[in-house]
Amino acid sequence: MWGGAVKKDALEAIAASYDYGVTSIDTAPIYGQGRSEEIVGKALRSLPRDKVQILTKFGMRWDEKKGTLDFKSTDNAGHPIDIYRYAGKESVIKECEDSLRRLGTDYIDLYQLHWPDLTTPISETMEALTQLLKDGKIRAAGVCNYSAAQMVEAEESINLASNQVPYSMVERSIEEELIPYCYNNNKSIIAYSPLQRGLLTGKIRPDHKFAPGDHRPTTPFFKPENIQRVNMFLDRLKPLARLKGALLSQLVIRWTIEQPGITIALVGARNREQAIQNAKAAYIDLSQDEIEMIDNEVEQLQLADYEFTV
C-alpha cells in the first residue's frame, strides 16, 4: 500500500532505530499477512527483549470470513483476498497466539485492537484482552482508531493503556474530543502518520510518480493542489529547520511530540538512513516561542477538498 519494502532494509532500520534510542516497535498481522511480525521477530533476536516494547494488533482477519468486510487486497503471492474486521473473543485469543509465534516471544508489551468491530460487543473484545492480561500473554491493552465514546465504553471492562490514531499537521481531527479525553484520563495517544505518509517531508512534488499499488494518490492529501499548498507551508518552516540543523521531517516529528496529549509519534522507515533521521528528531530542542510560531503556520494551512474539525 505504500510502495513495498525490502526485508534486509527493514531489519537494518529496526536495528538502527534501537541504536539511536527508539525502543517501541509497532507492527500488525495484517501487514503482509504475518510477514511484518516475522521480520520484527527476527530483529528481536539481536536485541535485548526487556529493553524493547513490541506493539502489535489484532482484529483484521484475512483467513476468516467473519465480522465486516473492510477492504479487498492481495496476499503475498498476488492472489486476491478479502480483509474482515472481527474481534470476537475466541478470534482474539487465537490471533494473540499466532502473533506470539511469529514474533518469537512469550509476551506482547502492548496489544491493540486495530479497528473498531461493529459486529462484536466492545465488552466481549475487552473480555478477551482481560484474559490475555491475566495469562501474562500481554503486558497492556490498547485500541486503535477508537472514538472517545468507544474508549469510555471499553473502560467499563478494562483499563486501556492507549489509543493509536492518525495525527499530523494536516490531520488534526482528534484535537476536538479524543485528545482532551486521553489527556484527562491518563491514556497514551500513539500518533500514526505524523508525516502524513511522506507528504510533510517536503520531498513529494505535485508531479510525483507513485509506484503501482500505492494508495496515497487516491487520498485528498495527495492531490497536486494540496501537495503544492503543503510544500509552500513547509517552505515557511525551512529557516527554523536550518537554524536547528534539522531536516523538515525531523522538525515535523519534534513538533508532533510536543503537542499536548501526544505520547508517541509513530514513524515508518524503509531503511537504516530513514530510521536514523527519524530517531534524531527526538534530540531537537524547540522553545515555546518556536512551537507557537509553528502552531500559527499550521493554523493557516488549508487543504482543498478536505475538512477536519478542531
Side-chain angles (χ1 to χ4, degrees), residues 202-238:
K203 297 177 181 178
I204 296 179
R205 317 313 298 180
D207 59 353
H208 185 85
K209 301 299 181 186
F210 293 92
D214 194 320
H215 79 303
R216 288 177 292 179
T218 66
T219 68
F221 298 108
F222 287 85
K223 288 177 176 282
E225 180 182 355
N226 285 335
I227 293 175
Q228 185 174 12
R229 291 186 184 190
V230 168
N231 285 342
M232 290 174 65
F233 155 75
L234 292 172
D235 284 344
R236 295 193 290 274
L237 300 186
K238 283 181 179 178

Side-chain angles (χ1 to χ4, degrees), residues 24-307:
S24 294
I25 304 171
D26 181 83
T27 183
I30 196 60
Y31 305 153
Q33 294 89 58
R35 285 183 64 192
S36 178
E37 285 188 327
E38 290 169 356
I39 290 171
V40 171
K42 183 171 182 178
L44 268 181
R45 293 200 285 271
S46 60
L47 298 175
R49 180 65 184 92
D50 61 339
K51 305 288 187 192
V52 179
Q53 299 84 49
I54 299 303
L55 288 55
T56 194
K57 311 179 188 77
F58 65 93
M60 299 289 282
R61 299 294 297 269
W62 64 93
D63 53 343
E64 284 268 12
K65 296 185 181 299
K66 292 183 178 180
T68 304
L69 178 62
D70 191 56
F71 65 96
K72 294 181 179 294
S73 185
T74 56
D75 64 18
N76 295 322
H79 303 126
I81 53 173
D82 295 332
I83 310 298
Y84 288 81
R85 293 189 193 183
Y86 182 61
K89 183 177 180 180
E90 296 307 316
S91 179
V92 176
I93 301 297
K94 179 185 184 303
E95 281 204 75
C96 184
E97 294 294 344
D98 290 344
S99 288
L100 288 169
R101 173 178 48 79
R102 286 188 291 257
L103 289 163
T105 185
D106 56 3
Y107 69 93
I108 293 164
D109 295 274
L110 178 62
Y111 201 41
Q112 309 159 97
L113 173 61
H114 207 145
W115 284 93
D117 168 23
L118 301 181
T119 67
T120 302
I122 288 177
S123 59
E124 179 182 336
T125 302
M126 298 306 135
E127 182 182 346
L129 290 173
T130 299
Q131 183 63 51
L132 292 171
L133 283 166
K134 189 181 299 182
D135 294 343
K137 301 291 180 66
I138 65 175
R139 296 286 176 88
V143 292
C144 305
N145 306 296
Y146 253 33
S147 66
Q150 288 168 324
M151 290 190 76
V152 170
E153 184 175 347
E155 285 282 323
E156 295 175 3
S157 305
I158 199 171
N159 180 26
L160 291 175
S162 60
N163 192 356
Q164 184 179 143
V165 285
Y167 183 70
S168 73
M169 289 174 164
V170 295
E171 169 51 283
R172 295 161 45 220
S173 303
I174 64 170
E175 290 180 0
E176 182 178 18
E177 292 185 355
L178 190 61
I179 287 181
Y181 171 79
C182 290
Y183 188 87
N184 293 328
N185 290 278
N186 199 33
K187 308 298 176 186
S188 294
I189 291 180
I190 301 172
Y192 71 79
S193 295
L195 294 174
Q196 204 55 51
R197 296 170 181 169
L199 180 62
L200 291 168
T201 64
K203 297 177 181 178
I204 296 179
R205 317 313 298 180
D207 59 353
H208 185 85
K209 301 299 181 186
F210 293 92
D214 194 320
H215 79 303
R216 288 177 292 179
T218 66
T219 68
F221 298 108
F222 287 85
K223 288 177 176 282
E225 180 182 355
N226 285 335
I227 293 175
Q228 185 174 12
R229 291 186 184 190
V230 168
N231 285 342
M232 290 174 65
F233 155 75
L234 292 172
D235 284 344
R236 295 193 290 274
L237 300 186
K238 283 181 179 178
L240 179 58
R242 284 195 292 268
L243 179 66
K244 299 295 178 179
L247 300 171
L248 278 171
S249 60
Q250 293 170 327
L251 190 66
V252 171
I253 295 168
R254 183 72 245 183
W255 174 88
T256 305
I257 296 170
E258 292 290 343
Q259 297 309 293
I262 303 300
T263 312
I264 289 176
L266 190 65
V267 193
R270 292 187 185 279
N271 52 48
R272 183 177 185 275
E273 180 184 15
Q274 289 182 0
I276 293 171
Q277 287 178 357
N278 293 340
K280 284 185 174 180
Y283 303 106
I284 298 172
D285 289 322
L286 291 176
S287 69
Q288 190 57 43
D289 286 346
E290 290 166 339
I291 294 171
E292 289 177 1
M293 183 277 288
I294 298 173
D295 288 346
N296 290 335
E297 293 291 349
V298 169
E299 289 292 339
Q300 297 175 48
L301 179 59
Q302 299 292 327
L303 298 187
D305 301 322
Y306 180 78
E307 294 183 3

